[in-house]
Amino acid sequence: MRLFPPVVTGTVITVLGIVLIPVGLNDAAGGLGSPDFGDPKHFAYAGGTMLFILILMKLGKPFLNSISILLGLVGGTAVAFLLGDAKFGNVGNSDWIGITTPFYYGAPKFEWFPIVLMLIVMLITMVETTGDTYAVGDIVGKDIDSETVARALRADGAATALGGVLNSFPYVAFAENVGLVRMTKVKSRFVVVAAGVFMIVLGMIPKAAAIVAAVPHGVLGGAATVMFAMVALAGIQTLAKVDLKEEKNALVVGVSLAFALLPATVPVLFKDHMDADLSSLLNSGVTLGATAAIVLNLIFNGLGKDGAHDAPPADPLLAAAPASDAPAADGDEPTAAIPAQSGEGEPAPAPTA
């Protein structure tokens, strides 16, 4: 935890949002590799889906807020289906029940270089999970301590080990869900558990996967862009706890963001001028940005205190001053009294709100 003060976790979450936003925009354009990539109709679906979600959020109804993303996806897909751009033919060809075969691709093999790469990648996912845990804690109003983060990391590790047996990629706490929690304001752990049960059941129904796969890229991109932008905002909220007037912290954030944008801005560096194995590790904005944040924080700030994720200390003068007894005007909150000195050095009457 001493490696992950708010300046690091906030930077990592912000990097996640910034790196993910282009993913959503690429989907809004029709999906990379699509023969009609960039067709205005894809942007029309994305814009319509996004507008529908924003309208639902504007209505301010708690229930509509909580399902706005889902309704946006369903509504956008329904419009695309009526216009002939959502194909559900594969649904009829899919099985009702399907079980993943453990070690489908054969028994695991152990080679040192992939193991080293995986260790580094898992360290980066630990940073991501740590940042996500603190971000969710801020949103739901829960104090996050080292043990809470440790439990989150154990869950990630157990899920990754099980997922590997079932032919899956490593698991990580998806930052998209940070944006989803913020947008929907659904903060119950029981809802998360119920969602997990639903996902397990749906994972055994190939027809459900075929329905999801039929959602047009434009519709998906419209909803995803909103969520990814909220992820970046969650990171900015975490950084709000950091004294960015301090040049050292400002350098940690600014330079890390620059490193995170390198793979997207200069992709030729990783494709044509770098060893393939090394490129597979470094060609990731999240990896570069997170690593830069950790290293730069160590250089400029050293090791912090365990669990030091509190807001910056208040002005000592304000903190020491007694609260004003004067009633606040409508819509205002009482402010602390600020002691002042008279010309003779005697305390002058304290101004109040």
Side-chain angles (χ1 to χ4, degrees):
M1 295 312 306
R2 298 171 69 188
L3 291 172
F4 305 138
V7 69
V8 173
T9 54
T11 301
V12 171
I13 299 171
T14 304
V15 163
L16 282 167
I18 292 175
V19 170
L20 286 171
I21 286 174
V23 176
L25 294 176
N26 280 326
D27 272 336
L32 283 175
S34 172
D36 57 352
F37 182 75
D39 191 312
K41 72 175 181 181
H42 298 305
F43 288 107
Y45 287 132
T49 302
M50 186 182 298
L51 180 61
F52 185 46
I53 292 172
L54 294 177
I55 290 174
L56 292 177
M57 299 295 293
K58 174 64 177 176
L59 293 177
K61 304 295 183 181
F63 180 69
L64 288 179
N65 285 355
S66 67
I67 61 172
S68 58
I69 297 293
L70 176 62
L71 291 179
L73 290 171
V74 172
T77 303
V79 172
F81 176 74
L82 293 175
L83 297 177
D85 290 318
K87 311 293 184 182
F88 289 93
N90 289 332
V91 177
N93 300 327
S94 301
D95 296 330
W96 279 103
I97 301 295
I99 304 297
T100 301
T101 305
F103 297 119
Y104 178 82
Y105 298 102
K109 297 180 181 180
F110 299 92
E111 299 181 10
W112 72 270
F113 191 76
I115 290 174
V116 171
L117 288 182
M118 187 61 70
L119 286 172
I120 296 173
V121 170
M122 292 310 298
L123 286 173
I124 297 301
T125 64
M126 289 172 67
V127 176
E128 181 178 346
T129 297
T130 301
D132 290 344
T133 303
Y134 275 99
V136 172
D138 286 342
I139 293 171
V140 303
K142 174 180 171 61
D143 291 331
I144 304 298
D145 56 17
S146 297
E147 180 56 30
T148 302
V149 176
R151 291 197 298 268
L153 296 178
R154 292 186 196 113
D156 267 4
T160 293
L162 178 60
V165 173
L166 298 174
N167 322 298
S168 176
F169 291 104
Y171 287 91
V172 67
F174 267 19
E176 295 92 318
N177 293 318
V178 177
L180 200 60
V181 171
R182 179 181 172 82
M183 288 187 63
T184 63
K185 297 181 175 59
V186 175
K187 304 174 182 179
S188 170
R189 291 174 295 168
F190 298 102
V191 173
V192 176
V193 172
V197 174
F198 277 121
M199 293 297 290
I200 292 172
V201 173
L202 292 175
M204 295 186 291
I205 304 176
K207 284 188 181 295
I211 293 174
V212 173
V215 176
H217 281 285
V219 174
L220 187 62
T225 301
V226 175
M227 289 194 297
F228 297 159
M230 298 304 289
V231 173
L233 178 61
I236 293 171
Q237 284 184 312
T238 303
L239 288 175
K241 299 181 177 182
V242 180
D243 182 10
L244 293 179
K245 293 181 181 179
E246 179 68 42
E247 187 176 359
K248 296 184 293 184
N249 291 332
L251 284 172
V252 172
V253 177
V255 175
S256 299
L257 291 175
F259 269 93
L261 294 174
L262 182 60
T265 308
V266 194
V268 66
L269 170 65
F270 302 91
K271 294 180 180 178
D272 300 336
H273 303 285
M274 190 175 291
D275 177 77
D277 290 329
L278 186 60
S279 176
S280 66
L281 171 64
L282 298 180
N283 191 15
S284 163
V286 176
T287 300
L288 290 180
T291 303
I294 294 172
V295 173
L296 289 172
N297 180 66
L298 288 174
I299 292 174
F300 287 113
N301 297 322
L303 284 173
K305 295 181 180 180
D306 184 19
H309 278 72
D310 297 328
D315 186 291
L317 190 61
L318 292 175
S324 169
D325 292 328
D330 289 344
D332 295 330
E333 294 181 359
T335 60
I338 304 175
Q341 296 292 325
S342 67
E344 289 73 33
E346 296 295 325
T352 60

